[in-house]
Amino acid sequence: MLPAFDVQTRRENSCTVIRVKGELDMSVAPRLRAAIDRVLAEPGRPCLVMDLTEVPFCDSVGLGIMVNTLTRVRDSRGRLVLALAPGMIAHLLTITNLDRHFETYGSVEEAFGAFDAAA
């Protein structure tokens, strides 16, 4: 049996981490979208790390949420970084050529290292 879907947010320094666990498909998409909406409703330039390292599957709806989030963050002149484990999502971004648009790292720690390096 697959693990239950879970979304958690936490502030770390000046960024927000959205940690997603479980399969990301149309049935759970509204929960992720709501969490993202809450984060992006905060004032200022968004600094967002999406931790997808524990997401074994993502359908087109989940991919659409990622693209929409990237657009919204860029429109706000913020920064979105994805933390991805090797596997399905990294492959999905590659075959759709979206890997050229997303900034990705292998872990949340590596993502924060990129923020630190840019500061």
Side-chain angles (χ1 to χ4, degrees):
M1 187 168 152
L2 295 170
F5 184 80
D6 186 41
V7 177
Q8 297 177 1
T9 60
R10 74 177 192 274
R11 292 289 294 176
E12 192 165 318
N13 301 323
S14 61
C15 291
T16 300
V17 177
I18 297 179
R19 182 177 159 266
V20 183
K21 186 175 184 179
E23 292 194 352
L24 176 51
D25 59 26
M26 65 184 295
S27 67
V28 298
R31 290 174 53 195
L32 177 57
R33 192 175 292 115
I36 293 166
D37 288 347
R38 283 190 299 274
V39 170
L40 295 183
E42 296 172 6
R45 290 184 181 177
C47 173
L48 182 59
V49 175
M50 287 184 68
D51 179 0
L52 303 172
T53 57
E54 295 185 67
V55 177
F57 174 82
C58 177
D59 70 5
S60 61
V61 175
L63 185 60
I65 290 173
M66 287 187 273
V67 170
N68 179 265
T69 302
L70 179 62
T71 300
R72 291 171 64 191
V73 168
R74 284 184 175 169
D75 287 349
S76 300
R77 298 175 51 195
R79 188 171 175 191
L80 169 66
V81 175
L82 304 180
L84 302 175
M88 193 268 179
I89 295 179
H91 181 68
L92 181 63
L93 293 177
T94 300
I95 64 173
T96 57
N97 287 320
L98 289 170
D99 59 330
R100 298 178 308 168
H101 300 279
F102 285 95
E103 187 176 354
T104 63
Y105 294 92
S107 68
V108 172
E109 293 76 20
E110 288 177 24
F112 276 110
F115 281 111
D116 294 340

